[in-house]
Amino acid sequence: MKENEELSYEEMIAELKEIAKQLDDPNTLVEDAVKLHKRGMELIAKCEDFLQKAELTITELKIQQSE
C-alpha cells in the first residue's frame, strides 16, 4: 500500500480488487476487515475524484476544439 504516494488509477483499482479478495476471505480478522473497508472507501473516493477530473479535462478539450 502506497498511502503517502500518489497512486495511478490502475494501481488504485488493483488495490481495490485485492481488498475485495481479502474481505471475501473468511479467515480475515474483523479488525483487519474494518481497516480494509476504510482503505477501500478512501480508494473509491480517490477513484471518483480522478474520474471527475478526467471528465472535466475531456469536456474542456472538446470545448477548445469546437472554438
Side-chain angles (χ1 to χ4, degrees):
M1 224 183 322
K2 298 196 267 181
E3 290 185 45
N4 294 331
E5 297 178 31
E6 273 301 310
L7 297 175
S8 71
Y9 181 78
E10 291 78 11
E11 290 171 322
M12 289 188 285
I13 294 299
E15 188 174 341
L16 280 167
K17 287 179 181 180
E18 184 59 35
I19 287 171
K21 285 182 193 174
Q22 291 178 33
L23 288 173
D24 283 340
D25 184 346
N27 296 316
T28 299
L29 299 174
V30 173
E31 295 84 10
D32 293 337
V34 170
K35 290 176 187 174
L36 288 166
H37 181 269
K38 181 180 177 191
R39 176 66 179 156
M41 295 305 290
E42 291 169 357
L43 287 169
I44 288 169
K46 288 181 180 184
C47 285
E48 289 173 345
D49 185 54
F50 176 89
L51 292 174
Q52 287 174 350
K53 287 177 182 175
E55 184 178 12
L56 181 60
T57 300
I58 291 169
T59 301
E60 288 173 348
L61 288 173
K62 286 181 180 179
I63 290 171
Q64 288 175 0
Q65 286 179 347
S66 67
E67 292 177 344

